[in-house]
Amino acid sequence: MKVTVDRFEGEIAVLLVRPEETQQILFPRELLPGVEEGDILEITATREIRETEEARARVSSLIEKLRQKGT
């Protein structure tokens, strides 16, 4: 997905999804070093299946421990 850096509001970068530029994404400015207003960026997302499964297992384990304490 391509976005245009519209502006910075304090520590937040306001990105507009191209080409229509009607949808906004608010993004931490600190994660965009060297980026300026008007720059066009390519953003990609990759689903981390293994890490997701590990995180779900940790949360399930914690929930089970809490349930056992409550009984």
Side-chain angles (χ1 to χ4, degrees):
M1 157 187 10
K2 291 188 181 185
V3 298
T4 302
V5 180
D6 182 53
R7 64 188 181 280
F8 295 105
E9 294 182 356
E11 296 303 312
I12 299 296
V14 179
L15 310 177
L16 301 177
V17 179
R18 294 179 60 85
E20 295 85 9
E21 296 188 339
T22 57
Q23 294 180 317
Q24 292 184 352
I25 298 173
L26 303 181
F27 201 80
R29 185 178 190 166
E30 67 185 29
L31 298 178
L32 300 172
V35 171
E36 299 177 2
E37 292 177 357
D39 285 353
I40 297 173
L41 309 174
E42 176 85 28
I43 297 177
T44 60
T46 304
R47 185 170 177 236
E48 296 292 338
I49 295 170
R50 191 183 98 249
E51 288 184 46
T52 300
E53 290 171 352
E54 290 171 357
R56 286 181 178 157
R58 279 193 312 275
V59 169
S60 291
S61 175
L62 290 171
I63 290 171
E64 186 58 33
K65 286 179 185 177
L66 288 172
R67 284 185 180 148
Q68 289 175 0
K69 281 186 175 183
T71 57

